[in-house]
Amino acid sequence: MKLAVVGGGSTYTPELVAGLARERERLDLTELVLQDVDSERREVVGGLAGRMLAAAGYDGAHSVTDDLDRAVEDAAFVLIQLRVGGQAARLSDETIPLACGCIGQETTGAGGLGKALRTLPVVLGIASRVRELAGEDAWIVDFTNPVGIVVRGLLDAGHRAVGLCNVAIGLQRFIAHLLGVDPARVAVDQVGLNHLTWVRAVRVDGVDVLPELLAEHGDTLADHVELPRDLLERLGAIPSYYLHYFYFHDAVLEEQRRGTLRAAEVAEIERELLELYRDPTLTTKPALLERRGGAYYSEAATQLVAALATGSGDVQVVDVRNERTITGLAGDDVVELPAAIESSGPRPLPQAPLAPELLGLVQHVAAYERLAARAAVTGDRELVSKALLAHPLIGQVPQVDELTERLLVEGRAYLPQFEATGTLA
Amino acid sequence: MKLAVVGGGSTYTPELVAGLARERERLDLTELVLQDVDSERREVVGGLAGRMLAAAGYDGAHSVTDDLDRAVEDAAFVLIQLRVGGQAARLSDETIPLACGCIGQETTGAGGLGKALRTLPVVLGIASRVRELAGEDAWIVDFTNPVGIVVRGLLDAGHRAVGLCNVAIGLQRFIAHLLGVDPARVAVDQVGLNHLTWVRAVRVDGVDVLPELLAEHGDTLADHVELPRDLLERLGAIPSYYLHYFYFHDAVLEEQRRGTLRAAEVAEIERELLELYRDPTLTTKPALLERRGGAYYSEAATQLVAALATGSGDVQVVDVRNERTITGLAGDDVVELPAAIESSGPRPLPQAPLAPELLGLVQHVAAYERLAARAAVTGDRELVSKALLAHPLIGQVPQVDELTERLLVEGRAYLPQFEATGTLA
Amino acid sequence: MKLAVVGGGSTYTPELVAGLARERERLDLTELVLQDVDSERREVVGGLAGRMLAAAGYDGAHSVTDDLDRAVEDAAFVLIQLRVGGQAARLSDETIPLACGCIGQETTGAGGLGKALRTLPVVLGIASRVRELAGEDAWIVDFTNPVGIVVRGLLDAGHRAVGLCNVAIGLQRFIAHLLGVDPARVAVDQVGLNHLTWVRAVRVDGVDVLPELLAEHGDTLADHVELPRDLLERLGAIPSYYLHYFYFHDAVLEEQRRGTLRAAEVAEIERELLELYRDPTLTTKPALLERRGGAYYSEAATQLVAALATGSGDVQVVDVRNERTITGLAGDDVVELPAAIESSGPRPLPQAPLAPELLGLVQHVAAYERLAARAAVTGDRELVSKALLAHPLIGQVPQVDELTERLLVEGRAYLPQFEATGTLA
Amino acid sequence: MKLAVVGGGSTYTPELVAGLARERERLDLTELVLQDVDSERREVVGGLAGRMLAAAGYDGAHSVTDDLDRAVEDAAFVLIQLRVGGQAARLSDETIPLACGCIGQETTGAGGLGKALRTLPVVLGIASRVRELAGEDAWIVDFTNPVGIVVRGLLDAGHRAVGLCNVAIGLQRFIAHLLGVDPARVAVDQVGLNHLTWVRAVRVDGVDVLPELLAEHGDTLADHVELPRDLLERLGAIPSYYLHYFYFHDAVLEEQRRGTLRAAEVAEIERELLELYRDPTLTTKPALLERRGGAYYSEAATQLVAALATGSGDVQVVDVRNERTITGLAGDDVVELPAAIESSGPRPLPQAPLAPELLGLVQHVAAYERLAARAAVTGDRELVSKALLAHPLIGQVPQVDELTERLLVEGRAYLPQFEATGTLA
């Protein structure tokens, strides 16, 4: 089985390679290709990956390339984890919103829209090559943010895709650790949209222990998601960390206005990571990688690939079409929730209706995501404005007008679709 | 046919009486009762109403009373237009949110919730008396704000109720005037929730002229709803004035923080109106009444009563259950849209799906209204918090906590249901 | 000895009358005239004053009049305590700055300037009548705010005037009470400008006990002036309550933006006071008067008049020319500090240099007061702008421009001097 | 004549070397030593300086060293232009205030205090070596910011020092260019404190042309100092660019809160400059240097050294003791104004009194500078708090407390004097 990683020069890759090497038997992995457009990263990250695979005793094929076609040809799985425009673009996703009086975050709010506009066309282009060179049965696993919008775009275009995020597995591992039980026994019923989810039940061996968990470890869990404990208790659910941007919007904005940005931090960590990766004696992922974000992405991706390959029916939290799972959302909305992973793809598990205090916000953001995906594909400036107007954290005309202008003009280097429609003339 | 007006001492009443007197034949009006708990208003407004009816040649029964049972007994229609707590309560609906860093408005946002908590139980109590004394066939027409939540509560309790707001008729008359045509020829396709509506088509003799209307009178219409013209053009719709609180939230908040409140203004106008009404020679509504808000309420109410009474099938914009009219809302959500008014009640006209940039916001507010109605009925403090968390203009934990406390404690004089649950102990 | 009170219909007057009645022997008071332009206040306050004097056994002359000339003719002392424009003008002193993004306070900042512009010309007009009708030896005691600017204007015009404020005596009494000693034994070394003072020593029988006082009663004193205890300790001084507007400017502004204004409160208290004063059985000042502000004004004024009349040399805190008392201020600046009250007038006691952390702020505000007094006298719009630019709480061009326009235009009814210069055309 | 430059590895140095090379005859320059603690800068900047001197035909001694003693020994002039902590410290001068809700600027406000605390002890240490090794007649010319506070500290310690800033010469050259006349014919009467100055007259051949200049070139001048034209006209003076931080404080703060910082920009320019300087074929200062700030510093320094050396009596704007020049300031305040440069040192030219709208602000900042210099020398935490309280742009207790803590703790690496007093324990 051949597996290709697009954006394989990411600093995340050692994490992923560690997982693939560990599970290579179960996956029947025979070829691994890391594709990246950045030659330095190919050399540094590819070099480390090779050393890691060798150290793990992997004897299949392994290559590093900048040639997308060669990478995806005949692949059974294509993992996409790229970042159009690199950390510089991320910085603009954070600074442009802030300059317009909005929070600057790379997946939530206007920054997420900027990223979606840049990213979706590139991912769709890759998916087309996959379809042509690897066939309609090849699976695309998208880890590229904003996952919800990117997967929506992939599915709208008819691709065989599933979205993946490490938020659910991160919380699952954290809770297993808290409870002192094997993670395999713990399941989190996380539901919502990507980066807009709540865990409404935590099952250990199938039994919901969330009330006890909140009673005993409420403070720890609350710290983990940076929200107050009594909010978790009142909702009867654990919101994802990203809800922080909604439930404490003004405080986050004020903090951002006074200070430093995550992008600057990440760029610095990436520089250090690449420096570490160059060390020819390094054959394991360095500890610093944990501060990069993306923890457990490796496990999640490896499990997902294995489950799809074997049709195991394992339950995993993934991003898929809603169909009729969540009442009040449209069938073609892309939701994030537990699904049984079968050979034919993920099958969402049934969900009780969302409480109104969750549903209204989810519906609002889903409407935004619909417009965002359309805007990214069409290069229609009006849809950019409408997406911003539809976002619950923006929604105001002065901000919408200023953001539309700046996102398109300052991001133009990566927005050929808007160039084509004359929007940036 | 007997018609009772609960809250009949309102300064709006002369407007209503003018309409009823004009249409008394078509309505077959034989008895009009104005009920109010305020003796001064009964005397002043009731006195003027009597003079107006006499001047109009009305020869049916007419009385003024503080006795609710006597008023509603055997009534075919009961119009409810009361204000629990009077203008002082309105002032608190405006000042408490502002003191918590939120916009202060009596129907939108936290102020609207404060009003709903106070008002819904009172209206439900009245409705119970109506059911008992006037029978199940009597119609309740609710003009009491927040109309969407109040009507939701009435319908949830099984009452025969319909909600009414003057926004739609106001715009329809304004447009008829702009076009220089008879209002009877103009229909506005207004859709959404009460005070959260957009006009997506304006028909003259059945033909949609909205595009031409925006092209020729865009500036005038934009001024009318206090929003920028290009927003109307981009949405292809005319938002209600209340969308201002969403589309220009920060600007409105800043203006409120620097200045005066509508409640103070209205209290002053009311004082002046009552002074004018005392004039024993006055037999028509004074011009100042137009500045009170509520213009054309008389026409709307009179038309609605006439249509229900005669089963005319006339199309009017009213507040009713959604059933399956707007895709993406629940069947029991209360929506505001055109309906054919038949003897059996309003029958919503079919509606094209809402564009995502409208739908997401509508869904979000509908979730809030569901929680607000429940909170008002149950006296459950947690539901107050959840309603605030579910509102797109609030939704943040610090504001939610402070507002919950202050709305309940400062409003306690009118919140016996929370007193009963021990919330205010 | 004849004493005239201009603005004698003030709700403060009963406080003053109580003091004069008590000390009538020492003062050798033979005639008291209360002058006021407001007939209702003359009747109500004058009535109460008459009853109080009678109850106290005063057998001198007593009259109430609207005739300024009659009031001041041959008076030995004229106390001025008027409010041009009444509480409505005070409300505009609070709301106009707030509408321009500045704190709204009637003596500090832009509101104080608005009051100065209205007030100084009126006081100067009265002073001219005093000079003509009572002669150059008559004393003018000014209690009219902003005292610093008004007294500066009076002295610039050559009048025999001294300013008086109740802040110092209020603190002195408070401290005496804390220490449980007779107030006559306590002296506060308060120094600075009116409403911008610090108490640098508190002497009991001539010995400075401030360090011990802060150690034992620091929290109570800090609460009294609404500032944190450790600030008092670090400064080694007790700032006046008005320093709150400087040391906690943003917090005060935010509080004002969220809430209610002092003017509205005071207007309400005044209404209640006048109601109480009407009671024909009332012969003493009601307790509510204490909430009006102005406590101990009566004592201060009575003492000052007695000391000037007798040349006792008593030390009192008053507003006088700096001469060379405070290093770093100009000789003609008007300062507030302890002075020996002699027949020829107050003689400031020597002062150690102000610490830089006090001096810089005092110099800055003194420059503002110089410009404010000039602006009020000349009706020169440019000087209004310069005064605002020179104020440490304003000092920014956008605020200066907006405030200049609004203070002059909205206050025009009481600004004939600007009308005359064509500024308001 | 030997001239030493402390901080000679500054990217400014090529500008200075260009001037010294040009004027080497007049200066009778026989030895130039560039001292710097940074080896890379010594190599790169020193290398370029050597090439420039050679290209200019300079045949005196020239050396580059890290040895302070060797550098200053027997020097007639020591120019100090260092930056303690480099651009990283500058970044903290900008970010710490911003994180506390204040503007972040390296010379004005809290950032300037941070810089003063770090810098003054280092400069005083250097000055002691100068006194010992070069004698009491050697001149120290300080270009190190904050110049006003550093020079105050130097003079307080008895050193023979004069401060220099390029603001005055920059404006003079700009105006000469505007008028199309030789700069030698233009004199600017700039007065105030360092970075808090106003030009009250512009003389061409001794005749004041400021009114005509404002009339004809008002917009250009206003743009140059980033202030509105009508402000210049109303003040009858041209404020320095740094007044922007006072006159438009809130707007600057808002801009900073939304955006990028000057330090990041300067660090980038410095990186590019050093890259350019490495070019072995480069023998002139590159154009990019103009964007670094510091334009004409070379001319100003060269002229000042020449005038002091020859006792020419030339008039230059420098930073010196006030003595009795500006009324209302203390004799030991350090002011920035035109002085005749004689062998014995600068002799300030007489100055008309400052208008109140200038004086109050100047006095306020002078009080701050007095406290800032004392705090830097003593390591007394209380004086840091008092300096912040005394600054007109800070002055509020919450900000003072937070800034004191953060400036000292985050800057501790360069604040041994506070370490010594136990403040940072």
Side-chain angles (χ1 to χ4, degrees), chain A residues 189 191 200 203 325-327 337 349-355 358-359:
Chain A
D189 277 7
V191 61
R200 299 191 295 174
R203 291 181 220 286
T325 317
I326 300 180
T327 306
L337 37 65
L349 303 192
Q351 289 288 337
L354 293 182
L358 312 187
L359 180 62

Side-chain angles (χ1 to χ4, degrees), chain D residues 292-354:
Chain D
R292 168 70 184 85
Y296 304 112
Y297 160 49
S298 153
E299 272 88 331
T302 311
Q303 283 178 15
L304 178 58
V305 167
L308 284 168
T310 61
S312 67
D314 281 1
V315 173
Q316 295 187 34
V317 174
V318 288
D319 292 87
V320 292
R321 289 279 197 219
N322 179 53
E323 306 298 348
R324 308 176 61 102
T325 318
I326 300 181
T327 305
L329 290 181
D332 65 344
D333 284 333
V334 167
V335 294
E336 183 167 305
L337 38 64
I341 310 299
E342 303 176 345
S343 312
S344 58
R347 183 177 45 77
L349 302 193
Q351 289 288 338
L354 293 183

Side-chain angles (χ1 to χ4, degrees), chain B residues 90-228:
Chain B
R90 176 179 186 152
L91 187 59
S92 80
D93 290 340
E94 294 183 357
T95 53
I96 291 175
L98 202 52
C100 300
C102 299
I103 56 161
Q105 212 279 330
E106 64 150 356
T107 63
T108 298
L113 179 60
K115 189 162 167 51
L117 298 179
R118 262 194 326 270
T119 305
L120 182 49
V122 172
V123 171
L124 287 175
I126 292 164
S128 293
R129 300 311 296 155
V130 172
R131 180 151 48 188
E132 185 157 336
L133 297 167
E136 303 217 329
D137 287 346
W139 275 103
I140 292 172
V141 175
D142 181 66
F143 189 61
T144 303
N145 271 324
V147 167
I149 299 169
V150 170
V151 170
R152 184 188 276 264
L154 284 166
L155 295 174
D156 285 353
H159 295 291
R160 200 180 200 204
V162 56
L164 187 63
C165 175
N166 67 326
V167 165
I169 192 170
L171 187 63
Q172 183 235 22
R173 297 301 164 99
F174 185 75
I175 289 171
H177 178 76
L178 273 186
L179 297 177
V181 303
D182 182 344
R185 294 172 52 199
V186 177
V188 293
D189 276 5
Q190 177 175 302
V191 62
L193 309 181
N194 178 245
H195 286 192
L196 192 84
T197 50
W198 294 260
V199 168
R200 299 192 293 175
V202 172
R203 292 180 218 287
V204 176
D205 302 332
V207 179
D208 184 9
V209 300
L210 182 54
E212 298 81 350
L213 192 64
L214 287 175
E216 281 167 46
H217 301 283
D219 289 338
T220 313
L221 284 164
D223 283 358
H224 186 70
V225 295
E226 299 191 22
L227 288 166

Side-chain angles (χ1 to χ4, degrees), chain D residues 25-324:
Chain D
E25 309 273 297
R26 187 154 69 105
L27 292 172
D28 190 21
L29 182 70
T30 55
E31 182 176 0
L32 173 65
V33 189
L34 305 181
Q35 186 273 352
D36 208 294
V37 295
D38 181 321
S39 62
E40 187 197 8
R41 283 168 175 266
R42 277 201 306 276
E43 181 201 325
V44 175
V45 177
L48 174 59
R51 294 193 301 275
M52 289 175 74
L53 290 167
Y58 169 71
D59 57 3
H62 161 240
S63 61
V64 179
T65 180
D66 65 343
D67 183 334
L68 178 68
D69 283 2
R70 228 182 67 200
V72 303
E73 189 173 15
D74 297 328
F77 291 91
V78 177
L79 272 57
I80 305 183
Q81 55 175 39
L82 50 83
R83 180 181 293 279
V84 181
Q87 291 295 334
R90 176 179 186 154
L91 186 60
S92 81
D93 290 340
E94 294 183 357
T95 53
I96 291 175
L98 201 51
C100 301
C102 299
I103 57 160
Q105 212 280 330
E106 65 150 354
T107 63
T108 298
L113 179 59
K115 188 163 168 52
L117 298 180
R118 265 196 322 273
T119 304
L120 182 50
V122 172
V123 171
L124 288 176
I126 292 164
S128 292
R129 299 311 299 153
V130 171
R131 179 150 49 189
E132 185 158 336
L133 297 167
E136 302 218 330
D137 288 346
W139 275 103
I140 293 172
V141 175
D142 180 65
F143 189 61
T144 303
N145 272 324
V147 167
I149 298 168
V150 170
V151 170
R152 184 188 276 264
L154 284 166
L155 295 174
D156 284 353
H159 295 291
R160 200 181 201 204
V162 57
L164 187 63
C165 175
N166 67 325
V167 165
I169 191 171
L171 188 62
Q172 183 234 24
R173 296 301 163 99
F174 185 75
I175 291 172
H177 178 76
L178 272 187
L179 297 177
V181 304
D182 183 342
R185 294 171 51 199
V186 177
V188 292
D189 276 6
Q190 177 176 301
V191 63
L193 309 182
N194 178 245
H195 286 193
L196 192 83
T197 50
W198 294 261
V199 168
R200 299 192 294 175
V202 172
R203 294 181 216 286
V204 176
D205 303 330
V207 179
D208 183 10
V209 300
L210 182 53
E212 298 82 350
L213 192 63
L214 285 176
E216 283 167 46
H217 300 282
D219 290 336
T220 313
L221 285 164
D223 283 357
H224 186 70
V225 296
E226 300 191 21
L227 288 167
R229 176 181 183 151
D230 81 328
L231 179 68
L232 279 58
E233 288 168 345
R234 290 155 101 180
L235 296 175
I238 309 170
S240 113
Y241 160 82
Y242 290 89
L243 265 304
H244 190 73
Y245 295 104
F246 294 84
Y247 292 148
F248 285 86
H249 175 269
D250 294 354
V252 169
L253 178 57
E254 177 62 23
E255 197 188 318
Q256 290 190 337
R257 283 164 66 93
R258 291 180 169 223
T260 50
L261 299 162
R262 174 79 179 144
E265 249 176 88
V266 168
E268 185 54 33
I269 294 173
E270 290 229 316
R271 257 196 300 276
E272 290 177 42
L273 279 174
L274 286 176
E275 210 47 56
L276 290 173
Y277 290 177
R278 283 179 201 280
D279 174 0
T281 66
L282 183 74
T283 56
T284 55
K285 56 175 176 155
L288 177 65
L289 185 48
E290 281 166 32
R291 286 182 38 217
R292 168 70 184 85
Y296 304 112
Y297 160 49
S298 153
E299 272 88 331
T302 311
Q303 283 178 15
L304 178 58
V305 167
L308 284 168
T310 61
S312 67
D314 281 1
V315 173
Q316 295 187 34
V317 174
V318 288
D319 292 87
V320 292
R321 289 279 197 219
N322 179 53
E323 306 298 348
R324 308 176 61 102

